[in-house]
Amino acid sequence: MVSVIRLYAESDDQQKAQHFGAVLSSRGVQVEIETVEKLNARFFRLNPELALCVDENGLWLCAHGMKMQPDWQAETGRLKRASLKSEMIARACHLAEKPSLIDATAGLGHDSLLMAHLGAQVTLVERHPILFTLLEDTHTRAQSDVFLSQVVSRIQLVFSDSADYLKQQAEQHRTVDVVYLDPMFPQRDQNQQAVKKQAQVKKQMQLLHMLLPEDGEMDLGDNLLELAQKIAKRVVVKRPRLAVFLAEKEPHHQWQGDACRFDAYFQHELVAE
């Protein structure tokens, strides 16, 4: 995991840079702030190493001439088009019932944003301090957006290892309606070459893969399924369409799409405390 990272900012944004530096330091990441004359395309081409930058639009991850952040504003169009009938994830997670839901594999938070828009009360769990800080900044900025403010009011961010968080919920006898899992690196456990060929990594994901190296079974999510089943009435796992089952465990039901599917595991005997 990244323990030291450079943070670029223009002189006008030094206060924001200092703020993010302090936040990341409190989460175990040493930040080296560097003032630059201009954060532009040429600068990013000349400074290709993995770093952070801050500007009037918030905190960004940057590398190899690219920069990215969890851009929830860009999801507004999709949210406005979405409905309980049109979204497969809504049927899989039973969003019509406005469930309490833990998203234990946060990523960029786009699925959580959609599920919150469709009525879920979402707890978004992320263990990586830099990705969590990016999500936190995006969540804060979305609160001032007229459309998104109501949506993000239904999203709570938790800085924690998902396995630890799920264990804690079980120890405290807490239950939720749904735990949602979308492992970051599903392609590593494919048993069919065709699946690897269909996964075209976008620029955003390229940077995420640089930040989050494949460093263990946590990223596959296998260990999360059993933990999730202890506290959730329904566990929903998003998978590439041809992927093997998570933890090699056959689901009770599936919803199939062209590129992905949702595997569901039901716990009919589990009731809220």
Side-chain angles (χ1 to χ4, degrees), residues 240-258:
R241 188 172 62 87
L242 300 177
V244 297
F245 298 132
L246 191 64
E248 300 182 353
K249 187 170 184 179
E250 186 171 353
H252 298 124
H253 192 75
Q254 287 184 315
W255 288 263
Q256 291 273 2
D258 294 334

Side-chain angles (χ1 to χ4, degrees), residues 2 22 42 57 67 81 102 107 110 131 136 140 146 156 160 162 168 186 193 206 211-213 222 232 234 238-239:
V2 177
R42 182 175 182 275
N57 295 313
K67 67 176 187 174
R81 294 189 300 271
I102 295 173
H110 293 165
L131 181 53
E136 186 177 55
T140 298
V146 174
Q156 176 191 4
S160 173
S162 292
Q168 182 186 63
Q193 190 65 25
Q206 289 178 32
L211 181 66
L212 308 169
D222 284 350
R234 172 185 300 226
K238 184 178 181 180
R239 306 294 280 163

Side-chain angles (χ1 to χ4, degrees), residues 100-104 123 125 161-181 223-236 265-273:
S100 58
L101 184 150
I102 295 173
D103 183 346
T123 299
V125 184
D161 180 278
S162 292
D164 292 342
Y165 183 76
L166 294 175
K167 289 175 186 175
Q168 182 186 63
Q169 299 306 296
E171 290 168 358
Q172 296 175 357
H173 304 291
R174 293 178 180 172
T175 62
V176 293
D177 297 315
V178 182
V179 171
Y180 178 74
L181 303 174
N223 66 327
L224 295 180
L225 180 56
E226 183 178 355
L227 295 171
Q229 287 185 289
K230 292 180 179 179
I231 67 165
K233 300 172 186 176
R234 172 185 300 226
V235 180
V236 176
Y265 302 83
F266 305 126
Q267 299 287 76
H268 297 295
E269 71 278 10
L270 185 61
V271 294
E273 293 291 323

Side-chain angles (χ1 to χ4, degrees), residues 182-202 205-206 208-210 212-214 219-222 238-246 259:
D182 180 11
M184 181 67 70
F185 300 108
Q187 63 268 33
R188 281 204 304 158
D189 68 346
Q190 305 314 322
N191 58 5
Q192 300 185 48
Q193 190 65 25
V195 181
K196 294 182 181 179
K197 292 180 180 179
Q198 76 179 22
Q200 218 30 43
V201 180
K202 297 180 180 179
M205 295 307 294
Q206 289 178 32
L208 272 188
H209 279 227
M210 292 176 66
L212 308 169
E214 303 175 50
D219 294 317
L220 284 176
D222 284 350
K238 184 178 181 180
R239 306 294 280 163
R241 188 172 62 87
L242 300 177
V244 297
F245 298 132
L246 191 64

Side-chain angles (χ1 to χ4, degrees), residues 25 46 49 54 67 69 73 122 125 142 144 179 225 228 245 248:
S25 177
L46 295 175
E49 73 278 5
V54 61
K67 67 176 187 174
Q69 62 182 182
Q73 274 84 4
V122 179
V125 184
S144 61
V179 171
L225 180 56
F245 298 132
E248 300 182 353

